[in-house]
Amino acid sequence: MFNPRISLLIGVIAISIFPVLVKWAPVSGISSAFYRMAIAVVFLLPYVLFKKQLQKPEGSLWLPIFICGILFGSDIAIWNLSIHYSNATQATLLTNLSPVWVGIGSAIFLNDRPARQFWIGTIVALAGMVILMGLDTFTRMQFDKGFLMAVTSGLLYASYMIVSKRVLNRINIVSFMTYSMAISSVYLLIICLLTQQPLWHFTPTIWGVLSIQGLICQLLGWLTISYAVQKLDAQRVSLSLLSQSIVTGLLAWIFIHEKVSFQMIVGGIIILIGIGITFMKKKVS
C-alpha cells in the first residue's frame, strides 16, 4: 500500500487542478459538482463490481455514509455559491478555517484531542494563508450572504472529514467512496433540476474538462485523500489540504500564466512550515 503521506500528496495535487480547470471551461458550479461526482461513480462502480470489492456496510454504517454524501455534495455546492455572492478570495480564506473546526470536532466526537503541535502548526499555516492572500482581503471582507456561506462550507467540510474518519475505520475505501459519491450525485442532480442548472448542450472542451474533474480531481484525488484519512489523524489531513492553494497557484502560473508574487511565495512557505510542524513527532525522554 502507499505511504499515507505520499497518498496525501498525490491527493492534494489532484484536487488542486480543479480551480485551473474551472478557469479553462467555466460552467455552472452546481452542474460542475454534479458531473464531477457522477463521472467518478460511473468509472469506479464497474471496477469495484468486477473486482468484487464492493463491501456491504453494516446496518449502523448506512446513516453516516449517507450523511457523508450529503455533507460533501453540500460543501461543493455552497462553496460555489459563496463565490457567486462574494468573491473567490474571501470564500477560500473562510473555507480554509476548516482545520480549526476539525480539531475541535475531533476532540468532541472522536475523543481525539489534538496535540499542542497541531494548534501551533494551524496558527502558523493560517498566518501563511493570510500572507498568501494579502492583508487587504480583510479590509474588503463583507459580512454578507457570501460570508455566511463560506463559513458554512468550512463547517460542512470539517464535518465530512470527522464523519468519514469514523466510517473508514469500518469499511474499505473504494466501497465508502462508491456509496458516498453515488449519494452526492443523486443529491446534486436533484438540486440541479430544482434550480434549473444546465446539464447538457456543452461543448466538447467542457465535456473534456468535466471528465478530468471527475476522474482526476474527484476519483484519484479523494481516493488517495480518503486513504490518508484512514491512516492518519483527520486534523493533520485537513490542515495539509491548505497546501492546495500553493499547488493551485503553481499550476495556474504554469498553465494559464497567472502571476506569482513574492508575497505569495512567502505565504506558501509559511503554510508548508505550519503543516510540517503538525507532522513532527514528540521527543521521547
Side-chain angles (χ1 to χ4, degrees):
M1 295 297 291
F2 278 126
N3 180 306
R5 298 184 184 185
I6 295 176
S7 181
L8 179 58
L9 176 62
I10 294 172
V12 168
I13 294 172
I15 65 175
S16 298
I17 300 171
F18 182 69
V20 178
L21 294 175
V22 168
K23 289 204 172 188
W24 258 342
V27 68
S28 163
I30 301 178
S31 301
S32 173
F34 162 68
Y35 279 111
R36 172 175 165 175
M37 293 292 179
I39 290 172
V41 172
V42 166
F43 278 84
L44 181 60
L45 184 58
Y47 171 81
V48 295
L49 291 176
F50 178 75
K51 292 288 187 178
K52 298 181 180 180
Q53 292 187 4
L54 190 61
Q55 178 183 347
K56 184 178 179 180
E58 303 170 11
S60 60
L61 280 183
W62 280 112
L63 179 59
I65 290 173
F66 179 81
I67 291 173
C68 282
I70 299 300
L71 287 173
F72 197 88
S74 298
D75 171 40
I76 294 177
I78 291 177
W79 187 77
N80 280 294
L81 289 173
S82 71
I83 295 175
H84 175 73
Y85 285 109
S86 57
N87 60 71
T89 302
Q90 175 173 301
T92 302
L93 179 62
L94 294 172
T95 300
N96 280 329
L97 291 175
S98 59
V100 178
W101 312 134
V102 171
I104 295 172
S106 296
I108 297 173
F109 299 107
L110 298 181
N111 196 26
D112 182 15
R113 183 175 297 177
R116 180 183 298 177
Q117 66 261 33
F118 168 78
W119 294 115
I120 295 173
T122 298
I123 293 171
V124 173
L126 290 176
M129 181 64 67
V130 172
I131 294 173
L132 185 146
M133 293 190 166
L135 292 174
D136 57 332
T137 299
F138 293 93
T139 62
R140 298 197 307 266
M141 190 165 291
Q142 300 176 358
F143 297 90
D144 53 9
K145 186 184 293 186
F147 180 95
L148 180 61
M149 285 184 171
V151 173
T152 301
S153 174
L155 288 168
L156 288 169
Y157 183 76
S159 300
Y160 171 81
M161 296 293 289
I162 293 168
V163 177
S164 65
K165 174 66 176 178
R166 300 187 69 171
V167 175
L168 286 167
N169 289 333
R170 299 169 59 188
I171 189 173
N172 66 52
I173 294 170
V174 290
S175 296
F176 167 74
M177 292 294 294
T178 302
Y179 292 126
S180 64
M181 289 192 306
I183 292 167
S184 292
S185 299
V186 174
Y187 171 64
L188 289 168
L189 176 60
I190 293 171
I191 293 177
C192 286
L193 294 175
L194 291 176
T195 57
Q196 299 182 336
Q197 301 295 320
L199 291 173
W200 44 76
H201 302 306
F202 298 135
T203 65
T205 299
I206 290 180
W207 282 119
V209 169
L210 291 174
S211 299
I212 294 173
Q213 289 176 7
L215 296 176
I216 304 298
C217 303
Q218 183 61 35
L219 189 56
L220 175 62
W222 281 97
L223 279 174
T224 50
I225 291 171
S226 294
Y227 177 72
V229 171
Q230 186 183 60
K231 300 297 182 181
L232 302 172
D233 296 336
Q235 310 100 290
R236 286 179 175 177
V237 175
S238 176
L239 185 61
S240 298
L241 293 182
L242 288 182
S243 61
Q244 177 188 352
S245 58
I246 304 171
V247 180
T248 297
L250 181 61
L251 293 173
W253 173 62
I254 295 172
F255 292 108
I256 56 179
H257 309 295
E258 286 194 356
K259 293 182 179 180
V260 177
S261 66
F262 177 74
Q263 172 184 310
M264 294 172 67
I265 295 173
V266 172
I269 292 172
I270 294 174
I271 291 173
L272 293 177
I273 291 173
I275 294 170
I277 290 173
T278 67
F279 282 95
M280 292 174 60
K281 294 182 178 180
K282 291 183 178 180
K283 293 183 179 180
V284 179
S285 58

